[in-house]
Amino acid sequence: MQLISKQMTGYMEKSSWIRKMFEEGIRMKQEFGETNVFDFSLGNPDLPPPSAVKDALCEIADQADQPFFMGYMPNFGYPHVRERLAEEVTKEQGVDVPADCLVITCGAAGALNAVFRAVLEPGDEVITPAPFFVEYTFYAENHAATLVPIKSKPLTFELDLDAIDAAINDKTRVIIVNSPNNPTGAIYTRAELDGLAAILEKHNAKRDRPIYILADEPYRFLAFDGAQVPSLLDIYKYTILCSSFSKNLGMAGGRVGYACVNPAIEDKAPLIGAVVMANRILGFVNAPALAQKLLHKALGSSVDVSIYEARRKAMADVLDSAGYNYTMPRGAFYFFPEAPGGDDVKFCAKLQEEKILAVPGTGFGYPGYFRLAFCVHEDVILGAREGFAAAREKA
Ligand code: PLP
């Protein structure tokens, strides 16, 4: 069997939990009616893009009769969009990022794949704290590398630095740091990230190729109660930042994001060149022209974060009143509570009896917990109150 066919088989098995729940949701909504099913299975942001996106779209429409309106461009993206993006990333990260360190990509997923293509050699290992965004497995395998999940600490999901240290070997090339985190909502503290950087620097001193941190940050804009998301560009030299506008501008289908090679890397030009080349040869060629034009005008605006704040509070109230055990998410739009009774798969089946759809932690490499995505209307959260209580009592 060809490698990709084998991977597809693995994909179907490994990602089946989210897919299964998504399909169950469609079936149940048909059977019981849209408003009687409480679907927390998918992280597909439901908020409309900010008004700046619509305004930009109207303005851009007037230019559609110009030559090259949708023409080819440099593989790194439109130069003027890259310049504008550099200003925004500089502000957000608190680190001076020049435009030539940026490659505009097809979302964070496109950035992750371009970076992996640029730095991984066959047989390399990519460490990720677990639980983790399940696509990482396939992205690593796309480039003949292996994903090595290292369990984070129970319930708080702090990094287990000793376990990460012990897992590093000659094949380790990348560690992914996704903060705010999908699926836990954790934001790693400055102390944790300093600790991680110290471990990587210790290993780098004994090797001739560095270990990169790939900072995956599409949820950076969603940090609650004034929580700070420390900049890894500032903390660790060999950082490559990947992010997107799927969540903060509600443009997930627009497919636009970026990779940013840390300006602090002395010999960074070949690495940036490799990411640009990978963006090209993976068939992306460049990020979509229209999405880049929208981005140019809408950068700096955001979906209404106060709506997510209200939903997070509502979800916490519902879980508290039913007696669930969880760590309050500091960012992103997910809760990752303990599964009452310990068996996450069985417990999600109990929730399903109450017409609530959640994804077992097993689907994220961390059994014993389950994920709730709160990018749904507040009525869905409040409507599920009794079902959450009933499932908890039955467990
Ligand atoms: N990384 C994480 C942790 C995500 O949750 C997602 C999407 O849900 C992505 C990357 C990819 O996002 P996109 O390619 O839409 O920017």
Side-chain angles (χ1 to χ4, degrees), residues 160-213:
D160 186 338
L161 294 177
D162 291 339
I164 291 173
D165 190 11
I168 292 174
N169 62 53
D170 289 348
K171 292 191 216 150
T172 309
R173 181 59 156 159
V174 173
I175 169 156
I176 302 173
V177 178
N178 169 222
S179 176
N181 185 270
N182 172 11
T184 65
I187 293 177
Y188 304 121
T189 61
R190 175 87 203 201
E192 279 176 285
L193 298 175
D194 280 342
L196 177 64
I199 290 169
L200 300 183
E201 276 152 16
K202 176 188 79 179
H203 286 277
N204 285 345
K206 293 179 274 174
R207 313 160 41 114
D208 47 12
R209 50 175 209 159
I211 301 170
Y212 289 103
I213 287 185

Side-chain angles (χ1 to χ4, degrees), residues 107-109 133 136 178 182 216 218-219 244 246-247 255:
F133 178 53
Y136 292 154
N178 169 222
N182 172 11
D216 181 22
Y219 301 97
S244 78
S246 294
K247 322 285 173 179
R255 307 310 306 141

Side-chain angles (χ1 to χ4, degrees), residues 25-278:
I26 295 172
R27 186 192 61 73
M28 287 172 69
K29 283 172 197 164
Q30 276 165 357
E31 188 179 341
F32 302 110
E34 193 80 24
T35 52
N36 297 318
V37 177
F38 309 99
D39 189 351
F40 302 100
S41 66
L42 270 194
N44 192 10
D46 65 323
L47 297 185
S51 58
V53 172
K54 186 174 172 189
D55 295 346
L57 201 50
C58 295
E59 256 182 70
I60 289 164
D62 272 346
Q63 300 157 14
D65 54 359
Q66 303 294 311
F68 305 116
F69 175 70
M70 289 277 178
Y72 287 121
M73 67 186 78
N75 300 117
F76 59 72
Y78 285 121
H80 69 292
V81 179
R82 193 159 80 143
E83 289 290 342
R84 176 70 191 91
L85 182 58
E87 287 171 16
E88 213 49 40
V89 178
T90 295
K91 210 189 310 165
E92 206 177 76
Q93 297 283 332
V95 169
D96 196 7
V97 174
D100 62 5
C101 287
L102 294 169
V103 182
I104 306 176
T105 59
C106 292
L112 282 151
N113 273 283
V115 169
F116 278 0
R117 185 72 188 89
V119 303
L120 292 175
E121 288 174 41
D124 277 350
E125 293 183 358
V126 175
I127 291 179
T128 179
F132 61 94
F133 178 53
V134 72
E135 302 295 285
Y136 292 154
T137 311
F138 314 113
Y139 298 167
E141 288 176 0
N142 277 347
H143 307 288
T146 309
L147 193 76
V148 180
I150 303 295
K151 281 196 157 191
S152 296
K153 297 186 183 164
L155 199 60
T156 62
F157 307 109
E158 289 162 301
L159 297 174
D160 186 338
L161 294 177
D162 291 339
I164 291 173
D165 190 11
I168 292 174
N169 62 53
D170 289 348
K171 292 191 216 150
T172 309
R173 181 59 156 159
V174 173
I175 169 156
I176 302 173
V177 178
N178 169 222
S179 176
N181 185 270
N182 172 11
T184 65
I187 293 177
Y188 304 121
T189 61
R190 175 87 203 201
E192 279 176 285
L193 298 175
D194 280 342
L196 177 64
I199 290 169
L200 300 183
E201 276 152 16
K202 176 188 79 179
H203 286 277
N204 285 345
K206 293 179 274 174
R207 313 160 41 114
D208 47 12
R209 50 175 209 159
I211 301 170
Y212 289 103
I213 287 185
L214 196 161
D216 181 22
E217 298 192 351
Y219 301 97
R220 168 174 276 276
F221 76 108
L222 256 188
F224 302 109
D225 302 332
Q228 298 295 312
V229 184
S231 171
L232 275 157
L233 294 176
D234 188 35
I235 293 173
Y236 179 67
K237 181 163 77 170
Y238 295 104
T239 292
I240 306 175
L241 167 67
C242 293
S243 192
S244 78
F245 305 94
S246 294
K247 322 285 173 179
N248 70 341
L249 292 180
M251 281 177 51
R255 307 310 306 141
V256 65
Y258 62 91
C260 170
V261 172
N262 199 344
I265 301 178
E266 292 92 12
D267 189 20
K268 57 189 168 294
L271 176 58
I272 298 166
V275 178
V276 175
M277 185 66 175

